[in-house]
Amino acid sequence: MKLIILKNNLKNGLDVVGRSVGNNINLPILGNVLIKAENNQIKFSTTNLELAITKTIYGKIVEDGTITIPHNIISNIVSNLSSERVNIDTKQQTLQIKTDSYEASLQSMPVNEFPIIPKVKETKEHLKLNAGVFKDGLSKVVVAAGISDLRPEISGVLLIIEPSILKLVATDSFRLAEASINKNQFDNTFAEQGLKVIIPLKTTQELLRVVGDDEDLSIRIEGGQILFQTNDTEIVSRLIDGKFPDYEPIIPKGVDTEVLISREELTNAVKLTGSFTSRVSDVRLKTKDKKALEIYSNDSALGENNYLIPAKISGEGAELAFNWRYLLDGIKILSGKQVNLGLNAGNKASLLKSPDDASCFYILMPIRQ
Amino acid sequence: MGGNEELWQAVLSEIELQISKPNFVTWLKNSRLIEAQEGAALIALPNHFAKEWVEAKYNKLILGTIRNHDGSVRKIEYVVEGTLIKNNPKSRPVPEGDEKQLSFQEMRVDPLTNLNPRYTLNSFVVGSSNELAYSASTAVVNSVGVKYNPLFIYGGVGLGKTHLIQAIGNEIAGVYGGKVKVKYVTSEKFTNDVVWALRNNRAEDIKSAYRLVDVLIIDDIQFIGGKEKTEEEFFHTFNALHEQNKQIIISSDRPPQAIPTLEERLRSRFGGGIVVDISVPDYETRVAIIKTKLQERGAAIGDELIDVIAKRFQRNIREIEGILNKVIFYQLNYQKPLNLAGIEKIIDETIEHSKPNITPAQIIKAVALFFEISPTNLIGKGRSKEFIEPRQITIYLMREMLNMSYPYIASKIGNRDHTTAIYSYKKIADSVDKDPVLSNKLNMIKETVSKSV
């Protein structure tokens, strides 16, 4: 194998595949990157046996070939190189990295010991959409996903594919976020009856990190696996085997108090009062005469503070406590100048949404008073 | 089924010798032979990587090895079975330690096992009162279905039975992953299921719901006593599971022999494994429990307050929890630590609330009724044996339920000397934890008293 690659391309390729490098005492080769040069394409692959990322990078192929070497070593070398062009060459079992002033030779491992990355068949059913749109929905809901060995079915993002709508849902059982993508934004060839799959949280995080916003994303699902594919990147991941909780009953049917309030001011207020909370992280929300919302918190050791924001309030007067981080997460994922807080008394869930964007909502349980 | 398992074990142990250990552990360890029929063997592997790898590299080796054992197999097919992935052998409690953050009701319990993940063995405070129950529980986790089967745990209200048996379930689910099916039900739920099945002619549903589990946990079994059909169904379920060495865990508020309405054949079966009790925690354990609960809530109160609570609440941990909630609330609201007088006041209010207007006369009446003697004889001068124990129980209950002073009690019980009252109280208090029959009697009398209010 003989390649000439620009340093930045090389570094970018290694960074993209870097997070799915495995760490397994039994199988040290999972710490490796597989470099493959064939059919005028240079491909980098890594896997941790749950998820595999393959990235195609630009460069000149002088001679085809395949090799596998420890990712952290080559990554370290490349980030510290000063030269623009990097020559990569194989000599028997070693990989040679050469620039004008630097030369390194790395021991490789046998290529046939590198795990075979599972293929997702070229099925007829697929989903095609702008990566930015999908990432936008995903980034809104991931904050609410749970991390729990005991509850694998909620430690991921539920993707609901229906003919006319895509829904992304995540919950950690304290809060739940849903984002939907309208049918004019995607191209769907999945069957009429639709499909529900749970994508592992780690996979969604990698997708958000690795895929660019203006790329075209294609999604295929087959036999417990999901493939995300763009022009130069492929992510293959297992799906979570389990049943996502039926979340429809959780969505509040009505609200006791409706508060329309500036999103920016509410964000500030929650952040500010959040710095004063006790160890339960609670901030309190209280309506004042249908004209203002008071946000306050106190801690016996620190002191107390409150923040008053003008708001349009209808319904009953309310006083509720929330975990301020959870509340802030919800306000952040909504868009627009204003937020609609639907508050429910009596230890029931409250509903956060944007008055001018129906594609996303956030449900949050209060803290017991 | 057993044949496949054996065959696969034999094949694996041969293959293990021929490939490197890391390869074996990574690719083949969590595999399973689903079936070998008509010349084709179907093998389940934990993930797609393993499937690709085994198909590409070990297919020949596996086929050859299987054919040594079963010549009829001509080809092998592979499938991925996600449940084969072994969870890390650790159980993690709910991420947020604080119990104040409410969660969606619908999601709080695991729909498959019915267990609440909040209960873990780690958060169970062990003291001399529950040591035996705890070690029996850990033994059950380590050797499911083999060592103590059934495990029968009994003890009074609010002492942690439910916590312990749910924690066993969570622990087993955590350690063995999806390989071991755990199911937790209250006996009330079991009864409802049986009634539903009978009404709708769906007895098969009960069988498939309860007999296909590896660990069955039944809470508060005493309530099935006297419900004949439920008892019968449970008896058959019990036998079916027990025969297959499936673990059964039962809790009750009293030992099997003290559940009066229970059929004899069930009673003897409950005693067939191990019967352990959780009794009232001693002072040190109560202090430890209070400290754990405070930690869970992220609150702190002074040691002398902990001491007071531990001394005043001796018989029920749930009550301790209630009082802690009040104390924490007080501290949050008034922004100042509670002093001793304050806590005494809170405790008194709580106790007042829970015991509305019981009078000494009601206790006397209830005891007399229970032992079928006249109230006059109960407090009279007669010293025959049939009056002694009832009289002592009356004194004990007056002290316990009404917190009356000894001289006052003595004056109510036929103007006796107050030392008699002290002696009687101590005698009953000493034997109540050792004597399940006595404790059972006390509970029943207490029930009558509270009902009469």
Side-chain angles (χ1 to χ4, degrees):
Chain A
M1 185 172 77
K2 212 169 211 166
L3 314 169
I4 304 164
I5 308 176
L6 287 179
K7 182 209 155 185
N8 282 345
N9 284 347
L10 189 56
K11 183 169 182 324
N12 175 258
L14 288 170
D15 283 350
V16 164
V17 297
R19 293 275 282 275
S20 63
V21 167
N23 176 16
N24 186 323
I25 319 162
N26 284 325
L27 213 61
I29 200 162
L30 293 183
N32 277 20
V33 53
L34 181 78
I35 302 175
K36 204 179 219 175
E38 59 182 23
N39 309 330
N40 290 321
Q41 283 187 318
I42 305 169
K43 284 185 171 175
F44 289 1
S45 305
T46 57
T47 177
N48 56 13
L49 299 188
E50 296 222 329
L51 155 86
I53 303 183
T54 301
K55 164 92 179 165
T56 310
I57 61 162
Y58 297 104
K60 183 172 166 56
I61 303 177
V62 182
E63 194 188 304
D64 282 0
T66 313
I67 198 163
T68 175
I69 42 165
H71 180 272
N72 60 351
I73 296 175
I74 183 168
S75 184
N76 244 334
I77 292 175
V78 172
S79 16
N80 290 311
L81 285 180
S82 53
S83 155
E84 281 248 319
R85 282 157 59 99
V86 184
N87 291 296
I88 290 177
D89 207 345
T90 49
K91 249 184 209 147
Q92 283 138 13
Q93 299 306 314
T94 63
L95 181 85
Q96 315 278 330
I97 300 174
K98 251 187 241 168
T99 71
D100 300 338
S101 50
Y102 178 79
E103 225 183 289
S105 128
L106 296 178
Q107 283 297 328
S108 74
M109 289 195 206
V111 168
N112 63 5
E113 281 186 15
F114 194 84
I116 303 165
I117 293 171
K119 290 266 174 299
V120 174
K121 272 190 220 136
E122 284 276 323
T123 46
K124 241 194 332 193
E125 288 94 14
H126 65 81
L127 202 60
K128 281 192 175 145
L129 72 169
N130 172 267
V133 171
F134 192 73
K135 278 174 66 183
D136 181 52
L138 209 50
S139 63
K140 282 175 177 166
V141 301
V142 283
V143 288
I147 306 164
S148 161
D149 286 349
L150 286 174
R151 308 280 311 265
E153 73 279 8
I154 60 168
S155 52
V157 173
L158 174 72
L159 169 64
I160 304 176
I161 302 171
E162 281 170 18
S164 58
I165 199 161
L166 291 186
K167 283 182 186 167
L168 293 157
V169 190
T171 180
D172 59 4
S173 83
F174 305 113
R175 63 255 176 83
L176 180 143
E178 187 202 274
S180 47
I181 300 172
N182 211 304
K183 94 174 186 197
N184 53 24
Q185 288 177 289
F186 61 88
D187 171 26
N188 175 7
T189 60
F190 279 97
E192 281 278 309
Q193 70 268 27
L195 191 64
K196 284 183 187 178
V197 294
I198 310 169
I199 310 165
L201 184 60
K202 166 107 172 129
T203 306
T204 62
Q205 286 163 340
E206 289 315 302
L207 181 77
L208 287 173
R209 197 179 61 89
V210 163
V211 174
D213 277 345
D214 36 9
E215 293 181 65
D216 290 326
L217 179 68
S218 128
I219 300 172
R220 285 175 200 283
I221 294 160
E222 192 232 330
Q225 294 195 97
I226 188 162
L227 167 72
F228 298 98
Q229 196 171 24
T230 67
N231 204 14
D232 60 1
T233 311
E234 270 181 30
I235 303 173
V236 181
S237 161
R238 71 178 175 97
L239 290 167
I240 292 175
D241 193 8
K243 189 179 176 298
F244 197 85
D246 181 18
Y247 72 97
E248 290 290 335
I250 296 167
I251 305 172
K253 299 289 169 291
V255 294
D256 298 342
T257 315
E258 203 166 296
V259 180
L260 192 66
I261 196 167
S262 153
R263 195 163 76 99
E264 195 187 330
E265 283 210 65
L266 184 61
T267 309
N268 280 341
V270 174
K271 275 188 189 159
L272 254 178
T273 48
S275 53
F276 267 85
T277 61
S278 63
R279 286 174 65 180
V280 209
S281 302
D282 55 329
V283 297
R284 277 154 202 277
L285 268 57
K286 190 177 174 184
T287 57
K288 291 233 158 172
D289 305 331
K290 307 217 164 185
K291 280 185 211 132
L293 186 71
E294 185 184 13
I295 295 112
Y296 65 103
S297 68
N298 51 31
D299 177 81
S300 45
L302 289 171
E304 58 178 41
N305 62 0
N306 65 344
Y307 198 122
L308 203 65
I309 312 173
K312 264 190 209 153
I313 298 169
S314 58
E316 294 160 37
E319 183 174 359
L320 284 172
F322 293 105
N323 179 316
W324 71 275
R325 288 190 188 86
Y326 292 175
L327 183 59
L328 194 62
D329 281 342
I331 302 167
K332 270 187 186 165
I333 66 170
L334 299 171
S335 51
K337 280 212 155 67
Q338 295 198 298
V339 184
N340 193 325
L341 300 177
L343 304 176
N344 278 318
N347 295 340
K348 283 188 296 203
S350 290
L351 176 68
L352 277 68
K353 57 187 185 189
S354 159
D356 28 55
D357 175 15
S359 73
C360 177
F361 66 80
Y362 186 85
I363 308 170
L364 175 60
M365 287 297 283
I367 285 174
R368 195 182 293 130
Q369 312 245 8
Chain B
M1 197 58 209
N4 284 339
E5 229 167 81
E6 255 168 52
L7 170 62
W8 190 235
Q9 273 317 317
V11 170
L12 283 186
S13 50
E14 270 181 48
I15 291 174
E16 196 172 3
L17 301 174
Q18 295 178 52
I19 64 179
S20 73
K21 185 156 189 267
N23 273 325
F24 181 79
V25 171
T26 316
W27 306 118
L28 283 170
K29 197 154 173 250
N30 294 321
S31 60
R32 181 166 87 84
L33 177 65
I34 298 176
E35 56 176 24
Q37 270 178 3
E38 294 164 14
L42 189 62
I43 291 167
L45 294 164
N47 60 44
H48 290 273
F49 288 92
K51 177 173 177 262
E52 296 279 342
W53 191 261
V54 171
E55 254 178 340
K57 311 260 172 172
Y58 301 137
N59 189 32
K60 258 193 192 156
L61 178 62
I62 295 173
L63 185 61
T65 320
I66 289 193
R67 281 178 62 87
N68 289 343
H69 293 269
D70 179 351
S72 68
V73 174
R74 266 183 218 95
K75 68 171 189 186
I76 302 180
E77 274 165 29
Y78 301 90
V79 291
V80 176
E81 208 170 84
T83 50
L84 290 175
I85 300 172
K86 233 185 179 173
N87 278 13
N88 299 344
K90 58 175 181 197
S91 71
R92 203 190 310 175
V94 191
E96 311 292 308
D98 54 280
E99 297 186 352
K100 290 181 109 189
Q101 171 66 51
L102 296 165
S103 57
F104 299 124
Q105 196 89 45
E106 293 81 354
M107 294 188 189
R108 206 168 299 160
V109 289
D110 187 328
L112 268 179
T113 62
N114 230 351
L115 291 166
N116 186 333
R118 171 155 292 143
Y119 296 113
T120 63
L121 280 183
N122 281 342
S123 59
F124 190 78
V125 178
V126 186
S128 57
S129 62
N130 54 24
E131 223 172 352
L132 191 63
Y134 179 82
S135 36
S137 303
T138 48
V140 163
V141 172
N142 291 331
S143 50
V144 177
V146 185
K147 207 160 184 185
Y148 300 127
N149 200 7
L151 170 64
F152 191 105
I153 298 176
Y154 72 91
V157 178
L159 297 180
K161 294 184 304 281
T162 301
H163 183 150
L164 192 57
I165 60 174
Q166 290 222 21
I168 301 175
N170 278 324
E171 198 78 7
I172 291 175
V175 173
Y176 300 94
K179 284 191 173 173
V180 176
K181 274 195 210 125
V182 182
K183 189 175 181 84
Y184 166 90
V185 284
T186 56
S187 68
E188 191 195 356
K189 168 91 168 58
F190 186 82
T191 310
N192 289 344
D193 284 359
V194 171
V195 170
W196 179 87
L198 288 177
R199 190 172 297 155
N200 295 293
N201 271 332
R202 298 278 285 277
E204 286 310 309
D205 285 18
I206 290 276
K207 292 198 172 72
S208 60
Y210 288 96
R211 297 194 191 169
L212 293 178
V213 299
D214 300 307
V215 179
L216 180 65
I217 305 172
I218 300 242
D219 206 352
D220 283 331
I221 195 77
Q222 71 274 8
F223 291 124
I224 74 161
K227 296 166 184 156
E228 281 164 33
K229 270 289 171 195
T230 310
E231 274 195 51
E232 189 186 327
E233 193 54 50
F234 184 73
F235 175 77
H236 292 309
T237 306
F238 186 99
N239 281 349
L241 291 174
H242 198 260
E243 264 165 30
Q244 301 173 55
N245 278 335
K246 307 292 188 193
Q247 180 71 46
I248 299 157
I249 301 164
I250 301 165
S251 86
S252 164
D253 68 347
R254 53 200 108 164
Q257 64 271 20
I259 307 175
T261 46
L262 199 65
E263 270 187 76
E264 191 50 42
R265 54 179 185 177
L266 266 180
R267 192 171 304 159
S268 75
R269 271 176 177 72
F270 289 168
I274 185 172
V275 177
V276 288
D277 74 318
I278 297 184
S279 53
V280 176
D282 53 25
Y283 171 77
E284 288 77 12
T285 314
R286 290 199 298 277
V287 169
I289 291 170
I290 294 172
K291 287 189 170 159
T292 315
K293 300 267 176 214
L294 285 170
Q295 213 179 2
E296 279 171 10
R297 287 173 172 71
I301 62 173
D303 280 347
E304 73 280 3
L305 298 188
I306 294 179
D307 174 68
V308 173
I309 299 175
K311 281 190 176 141
R312 291 289 295 270
F313 290 90
Q314 307 193 339
R315 313 204 61 88
N316 189 331
I317 296 161
R318 207 169 288 142
E319 281 179 0
I320 292 185
E321 247 180 280
I323 208 78
L324 286 180
N325 281 338
K326 283 200 174 163
V327 170
I328 294 168
F329 176 77
Y330 179 95
Q331 291 199 341
L332 274 177
N333 251 17
Y334 296 95
Q335 298 297 319
K336 62 176 184 197
L338 204 57
N339 57 18
L340 276 180
I343 197 151
E344 292 282 357
K345 199 170 153 236
I346 292 181
I347 294 175
D348 287 342
E349 278 170 8
T350 316
I351 295 177
E352 292 276 292
H353 267 297
S354 58
K355 308 212 162 98
N357 312 325
I358 298 171
T359 61
Q362 277 163 337
I363 294 181
I364 293 172
K365 216 169 120 191
V367 175
L369 194 72
F370 183 83
F371 289 100
E372 295 176 339
I373 52 179
S374 80
T376 343
N377 279 335
L378 180 62
I379 58 168
K381 297 285 176 202
R383 297 178 55 93
S384 77
K385 205 177 163 225
E386 60 174 318
F387 304 139
I388 295 285
E389 197 197 11
R391 198 171 291 148
Q392 286 173 341
I393 287 178
T394 315
I395 290 169
Y396 172 82
L397 288 176
M398 284 179 168
R399 178 80 183 163
E400 179 77 13
M401 297 178 82
L402 303 179
N403 210 9
M404 286 160 62
S405 73
Y406 290 120
Y408 187 46
I409 295 176
S411 75
K412 286 275 166 195
I413 307 285
N415 276 326
R416 289 188 156 73
D417 191 64
H418 77 278
T419 51
T420 315
I422 297 176
Y423 170 80
S424 305
Y425 174 76
K426 291 223 167 110
K427 179 150 193 297
I428 300 289
D430 281 348
S431 27
V432 67
D433 292 333
K434 295 166 205 147
D435 182 358
V437 179
L438 176 65
S439 119
N440 197 22
K441 280 181 196 162
L442 287 175
N443 280 335
M444 287 162 90
I445 298 170
K446 275 188 197 166
E447 256 170 53
T448 333
V449 174
S450 353
K451 270 181 204 150
S452 67
V453 175

